[in-house]
Amino acid sequence: MKISRRDLMKASLAAGTAASIPGALRAQTVPTAARTVRMVMAGDLTIFDPIFSTAYTTGNHGLAIYDMLFAPDANQMPRPEMVEQWSVSDDKKTYRFKLRDGLGWHDGTHVTAADCVASIRRWAQVSSGGRLIMERAKDISKNDDKTFTIALKEPLALLIDILAGVGTPVLFIMRDKDADRPASEQVTANIGSGPFKFNEYLAKPGASFTYDRNERYVPRTEAPDGLAGGKIVKVDRVIWENIADKQTAFAALQAGEIDFIASPPMDLLSAIKADDNLKLQVLNTRGFDYFLRMNFLQKPFDNVKARQAMLHLIDQDALLAAMSPDPQYAHPVISLFGNGSPYSNDANTGWYQKGGDPEKARQLFKEAGYSGEKVVILQPTNSAAISDAAQLIAAALKKVGVNAELAPSSWSGVVARRANKGPVNDGGWSIVISANSAYEDGNLIGNVTMTANGDEGWYGWPKSDEYEALRAKWPDVEALEERKALARKMQSVWWDFVGGIMLGQIVSPILRRRTLTGLLDSPTLIPMWNMRKV
């Protein structure tokens, strides 16, 4: 066989390239296209520690590589996941947990009870439900490698529900050497015990991240049910593609270059419905409640009158029309507890009217002593719904004489900046927009955005001692009707001091190619197990 000069050059280049690839990566078998799923998630992944950040993108990353002690099924009932069995003492104060067999870290070591104890303690630093557990805990300690105990000073009937919560931050179990640090210090190892392994070698920050099937993962024997049951991975690799432009992502989906878009461009709804290869699917049937938070620590929103002005300024119908062009997916929200929760109510909602009340807002800003301070609204340009809402709110503020200014960035830029408690001239902010799963708005204990404990709380740092005193009663009220009455009192106080403002509910479908099947319904995060390509 004659070998050309070009063949020699190609062979030389190939050999040099192979030598430069780490041995661990060279040893991997590259999955076929039929066993690889390419997904465009909502927002770019820049923070990998799901305890350090409450961002859903980080939560989805955590769901892939970590595991949970308990997880909610499709009916939101907690089911054992890493736990094989558990028991509670007759006085309801001592809980004992035993881990199931086959739990192992991606580095080849075994999961132990010490890992669970360290993870609970770290998670509890930032989770409102976790903080409640720690307030009532006498001790959280391991008994041996597979068992640990939570001993309480007083009963906490919701303990298992709290451990199984999927409102971020989720209690993902980490190695004790990773979890043995403050929640304010990021874990960067990306080593979990979950059904997927994070592929460090193929990580391309800003472009894509790769997750490989964890061949050593031992799923539970039960059928998948919500986030509970067996986490059976039916593909070899999942690649998160970072395509910020929605139309570019849609074109890639149509061309078969990607398989899934978490937040599709709804302004292209007619084109989506016309393509037989594509399918819209609602995974979160209760949708997301979009909300606005104001910075309580800085002018003008350190004044309650200015916050009340925003209640009257917001036009939910206009915002929903911009964020979700198809009205079947959009609904106004006036309750702190969202729509469809057992605790949703209409207490103290006289401020709501269709179209808002700009003149009332102008009057309240005047009563607040507003004197032209700059109001900076964080605008994530790669999140279309929130970006559109930010622009509409800025325009509405300007119409009533407020010096409003947009601060455009990526979602990761918003996540970084919203932690700044300083004035706008020092990189701070005035208004940030986010969203909760509607499931979370019915879950008072696990939802950090429903606290009002000042500096210790969620971004915006609202503070109301009256509200917090009512919230403290929640865990000990067992009768549903009594909880409903307490919810009305809490909501009434919330709308007086205005801890945050609802912008509307959107039931957001995902968009996938019809060849991608098996996606599981979930109230918040998106599980990657069980899906397959046909």
Side-chain angles (χ1 to χ4, degrees):
M1 180 179 71
K2 186 177 179 180
I3 300 176
S4 69
R5 186 175 178 183
R6 176 175 293 179
D7 291 331
L8 286 170
M9 290 179 66
K10 287 168 66 177
S12 176
L13 286 171
T17 302
S20 68
I21 299 174
L25 184 57
R26 293 202 307 270
Q28 293 180 359
T29 300
V30 178
T32 64
R35 299 279 297 177
T36 300
V37 174
R38 294 179 179 270
M39 308 176 76
V40 175
M41 305 299 274
D44 49 335
L45 178 63
T46 57
I47 298 176
F48 299 88
D49 182 347
I51 306 302
F52 181 86
S53 172
T54 60
Y56 283 127
T57 304
T58 302
N60 283 323
H61 165 78
L63 192 67
I65 72 169
Y66 296 108
D67 215 340
M68 303 168 63
L69 296 174
F70 295 85
D73 64 17
N75 296 316
Q76 303 309 308
M77 297 299 295
R79 304 295 182 197
E81 195 59 41
M82 297 175 74
V83 170
E84 177 183 291
Q85 61 188 41
W86 64 279
S87 62
V88 59
S89 61
D90 292 340
D91 64 2
K92 310 296 183 185
K93 293 182 181 180
T94 303
Y95 290 76
R96 291 185 174 86
F97 305 89
K98 180 182 179 182
L99 299 176
R100 64 185 179 91
D101 293 334
L103 300 178
W105 298 110
H106 298 159
D107 64 4
T109 58
H110 294 292
V111 175
T112 70
D115 300 314
C116 301
V117 171
S119 296
I120 292 171
R121 290 183 178 279
R122 183 170 185 263
W123 160 79
Q125 295 175 36
V126 290
S127 164
S128 56
R131 286 176 178 168
L132 176 61
I133 292 175
M134 296 307 294
E135 288 170 5
R136 300 201 178 185
K138 182 168 58 178
D139 185 39
I140 301 178
S141 58
K142 73 166 189 175
N143 305 324
D144 54 44
D145 278 353
K146 293 193 67 173
T147 62
F148 66 96
T149 296
I150 298 179
L152 303 173
K153 293 175 286 189
E154 54 184 305
L156 179 56
L158 295 175
L159 186 136
I160 301 300
D161 296 78
I162 294 171
L163 296 178
V166 290
T168 54
V170 176
L171 174 55
F172 293 121
I173 301 304
M174 299 179 171
R175 299 179 301 178
D176 61 346
K177 66 180 180 180
D178 294 324
D180 190 21
R181 69 184 70 193
S184 57
E185 180 183 329
Q186 291 189 55
V187 172
T188 59
N190 288 316
I191 294 177
S193 65
F196 286 89
K197 296 185 294 185
F198 184 74
N199 192 320
E200 297 280 357
Y201 296 111
L202 296 183
K204 301 174 184 176
S208 67
F209 293 106
T210 298
Y211 299 82
D212 294 325
R213 180 175 62 87
N214 178 10
E215 67 281 357
R216 296 180 180 176
Y217 183 76
V218 180
R220 295 187 68 90
T221 56
E222 301 93 335
D225 185 0
L227 292 183
K231 298 178 179 179
I232 300 173
V233 178
K234 299 178 180 179
V235 296
D236 291 329
R237 175 168 288 175
V238 175
I239 300 175
W240 287 13
E241 301 280 5
N242 183 20
I243 305 177
D245 182 76
K246 293 293 184 70
Q247 293 196 358
T248 302
F250 178 62
L253 189 74
Q254 285 189 306
E257 295 167 1
I258 61 173
D259 305 288
F260 172 101
I261 301 176
S263 182
M266 298 305 290
D267 54 332
L268 298 178
L269 193 58
S270 59
I272 291 171
K273 291 181 176 180
D275 192 328
D276 290 338
N277 294 314
L278 307 181
K279 182 175 179 58
L280 289 165
Q281 181 177 347
V282 175
L283 303 181
N284 178 0
T285 56
R286 286 182 58 187
F288 287 86
D289 292 337
Y290 284 77
F291 62 91
L292 173 155
R293 291 293 280 254
M294 298 157 285
N295 189 338
F296 271 56
L297 305 181
Q298 304 294 335
K299 290 182 176 298
F301 297 119
D302 58 343
N303 188 297
V304 67
K305 292 286 188 180
R307 300 194 299 271
Q308 290 171 349
M310 294 298 296
L311 274 179
H312 295 276
L313 184 70
I314 295 302
D315 179 353
Q316 286 199 31
D317 289 330
L319 287 166
L320 288 169
M323 292 191 290
S324 179
D326 191 326
Q328 70 172 307
Y329 295 117
H331 312 281
V333 180
I334 62 172
S335 177
L336 170 64
F337 296 88
N339 294 333
S341 160
Y343 313 113
S344 303
N345 67 84
D346 62 356
N348 196 16
T349 54
W351 47 267
Y352 175 78
Q353 67 180 59
K354 291 180 72 67
D357 188 348
E359 289 309 310
K360 180 67 173 178
R362 188 191 303 272
Q363 173 193 333
L364 286 166
F365 271 118
K366 183 177 180 180
E367 293 176 13
Y370 176 72
S371 56
E373 295 91 355
K374 185 186 295 184
V375 170
V376 172
I377 305 168
L378 302 187
Q379 180 197 12
T381 55
N382 58 342
S383 175
I386 295 179
S387 178
D388 291 344
Q391 293 176 71
L392 282 176
I393 291 168
L397 282 165
K398 290 175 182 177
K399 286 181 181 179
V400 297
V402 174
N403 179 19
E405 179 181 290
L406 291 167
S409 71
S410 66
W411 175 250
S412 59
V414 170
V415 170
R417 186 167 177 176
R418 70 183 180 181
N420 188 330
K421 296 180 180 180
V424 295
N425 291 336
D426 291 332
W429 55 275
S430 309
I431 291 174
V432 66
I433 300 168
S434 191
N436 280 333
S437 166
Y439 156 81
E440 291 186 67
D441 285 337
N443 178 25
L444 181 67
I445 296 302
N447 189 343
V448 294
T449 69
M450 296 177 77
T451 60
N453 51 348
D455 281 354
E456 296 180 358
W458 201 74
Y459 308 106
W461 310 285
K463 184 170 176 58
S464 169
D465 294 339
E466 182 182 6
Y467 174 87
E468 283 295 297
L470 292 170
R471 191 173 72 89
K473 297 179 180 180
W474 190 271
D476 299 313
V477 178
E478 296 189 14
L480 178 60
E481 292 305 315
E482 292 181 20
R483 276 203 183 158
K484 287 182 177 180
L486 181 58
R488 290 187 65 86
K489 292 180 181 177
M490 294 177 65
Q491 178 172 299
S492 183
V493 174
W494 181 274
W495 292 137
D496 278 341
F497 77 91
V498 197
I501 297 175
M502 291 295 190
L503 304 181
Q505 175 197 32
I506 297 178
V507 178
S508 301
I510 60 89
L511 179 61
R512 61 175 173 84
R513 292 190 65 81
R514 289 186 182 273
T515 52
L516 182 66
T517 64
L519 278 78
L520 297 169
D521 293 350
S522 173
T524 51
L525 305 177
I526 299 175
M528 300 194 306
W529 57 88
N530 202 61
M531 63 182 180
R532 63 191 181 96
K533 293 177 74 172
V534 295

